[in-house]
Amino acid sequence: RTDDMYCFTAKKWPLGINKGCYYSISLDQEEAKRSKASTLESGAFVGKVRSDKKSLDYTLYDDGTSPDGKDKGGTSVLRHELLHINFSNSLRNRDPGAMTVVLPEVDSDGSFESVQPRHHTEGLEALLKRGEKGGLLELKNRQPKWNAS
């Protein structure tokens, strides 16, 4: 006998032709049926994953407010970046894909360095590109090899 257990719901929201998309993550099974505004305001909303326009970079955020958001200087907490994934090659080019994942290191007591960028040049993606990896854990997949047959 297997017991089914619900984990979470993710719903894709396009950001526009040149901006990529994001996925809202919720603990409510009915979230996929709701509008964008009610999804973000619901108590079940826990965060989002956002991609760039080429779908090569993805960043996981908690439920805080974007630094560019409508609540500038308000009472909302600035969002944390929890994880960044970079795919360096695209399968569209018939090359195997290499993946790099960056996240804050977690100490033995469960604490970690908070990444709350106020500008896009301060986030996990920017730190990875600059090679500033202090307090960050970098994971890479084994370099894939293309099998032409």
Side-chain angles (χ1 to χ4, degrees):
R1 176 178 178 245
T2 60
D3 291 328
D4 290 338
M5 187 172 119
Y6 172 77
C7 185
F8 62 87
T9 298
K11 183 174 181 180
K12 183 177 181 178
W13 298 96
L15 293 174
I17 296 172
N18 294 322
K19 291 187 178 181
C21 65
Y22 77 86
Y23 301 83
S24 61
I25 303 169
S26 173
L27 300 177
D28 184 359
Q29 285 181 313
E30 301 298 317
E31 201 67 42
K33 298 176 184 173
R34 295 193 180 132
S35 70
K36 185 175 180 179
S38 65
T39 296
L40 298 177
E41 292 172 1
S42 77
F45 177 74
V46 293
K48 72 178 182 180
V49 175
R50 184 169 184 170
S51 74
D52 67 343
K53 64 182 176 183
K54 295 180 182 177
S55 295
L56 295 176
D57 288 293
Y58 293 83
T59 303
L60 173 65
Y61 303 98
D62 68 1
D63 62 345
T65 303
S66 166
D68 301 327
K70 296 175 183 167
D71 195 26
K72 290 182 182 175
T75 58
S76 295
V77 176
L78 188 63
R79 69 183 179 193
H80 293 85
E81 286 190 8
L82 305 173
L83 174 89
H84 179 77
I85 304 169
N86 171 262
F87 295 97
S88 48
N89 294 324
S90 172
L91 291 176
R92 288 179 239 141
N93 296 335
R94 307 264 315 150
D95 292 330
M99 179 175 65
T100 303
V101 177
V102 179
L103 62 154
E105 284 184 339
V106 179
D107 296 337
S108 59
D109 63 352
S111 62
F112 61 93
E113 187 175 327
S114 175
V115 179
Q116 286 182 292
R118 298 192 178 280
H119 192 265
H120 70 277
T121 60
E122 301 171 353
L124 291 172
E125 178 181 7
L127 293 172
L128 175 65
K129 288 182 179 179
R130 288 193 306 258
E132 297 176 18
K133 299 174 189 160
L136 300 178
L137 178 63
E138 180 180 16
L139 307 170
K140 292 185 177 190
N141 67 332
R142 183 175 40 191
Q143 188 63 35
K145 295 183 175 98
W146 185 257
N147 183 356
S149 58

